[in-house]
Amino acid sequence: MVAATPLVFSTVSAPALALAALAVIVSAAQAARGLGPPPSQAAQSYHQGTSMGYLRLIDGDLPPETGPEDLLLMKTALWDLDRPVAGLIFSEPTAEFSHLNVRSSARGTPSCFAPDAWSRFAPLEGQPVQLSCGPNGPNLSPA
């Protein structure tokens, strides 16, 4: 007879799992109440503000050398950032109260969305830039 082996479903901590579940519930509630990204996909700010840093394009995992001097242009939003950064620009809309936007707001980090952000800002990759997230979304200019 084969001895029973306990099933291990995840090595994720209980608090992280609770946050993940909360994010799913909040996102579902937002979608049900129409609080998700607008259907027109118009540019918008999740947390308004201005900051300066080096523009980094993120199309996948966050590079380990990413730090507080970096402004991130994300093709798709990451679940979380384990370190502070200078600012966030999303090329796909995210929920206003997503984990990443709530954390960004708590840190005072500007974060915004523009549907054309990737094509519009990619030429500035690696350069020092100033990000302004205002009512109409992001504005990025060389610093």
Side-chain angles (χ1 to χ4, degrees):
M1 178 175 233
V2 178
T5 305
L7 294 175
V8 177
F9 293 102
S10 175
T11 58
V12 176
S13 69
L17 191 56
L19 282 174
L22 180 60
V24 169
I25 292 167
V26 167
S27 294
Q30 288 175 334
R33 293 190 342 229
L35 297 177
S40 66
Q41 304 246 332
Q44 65 178 350
S45 291
Y46 302 116
H47 183 74
Q48 294 186 23
T50 302
S51 65
M52 294 178 70
Y54 293 92
L55 185 64
R56 306 289 181 220
L57 303 184
I58 306 298
D59 186 9
D61 294 333
L62 191 66
E65 67 275 6
T66 304
E69 70 283 352
D70 295 319
L71 285 164
L72 306 183
L73 172 53
M74 297 185 176
K75 199 159 214 176
T76 57
L78 300 174
W79 158 246
D80 190 17
L81 286 174
D82 60 354
R83 64 200 84 148
V85 295
L88 300 170
I89 306 169
F90 302 101
S91 61
E92 291 183 356
T94 64
E96 185 176 353
F97 296 108
S98 70
H99 182 70
L100 195 55
N101 283 324
V102 169
R103 231 179 170 174
S104 175
S105 180
R107 289 178 176 154
T109 305
S111 65
C112 38
F113 154 73
D116 60 347
W118 195 264
S119 60
R120 194 167 101 195
F121 301 136
L124 296 171
E125 180 180 19
Q127 296 181 33
V129 293
Q130 179 173 336
L131 169 65
S132 177
C133 289
N136 298 320
N139 185 25
L140 199 61
S141 57

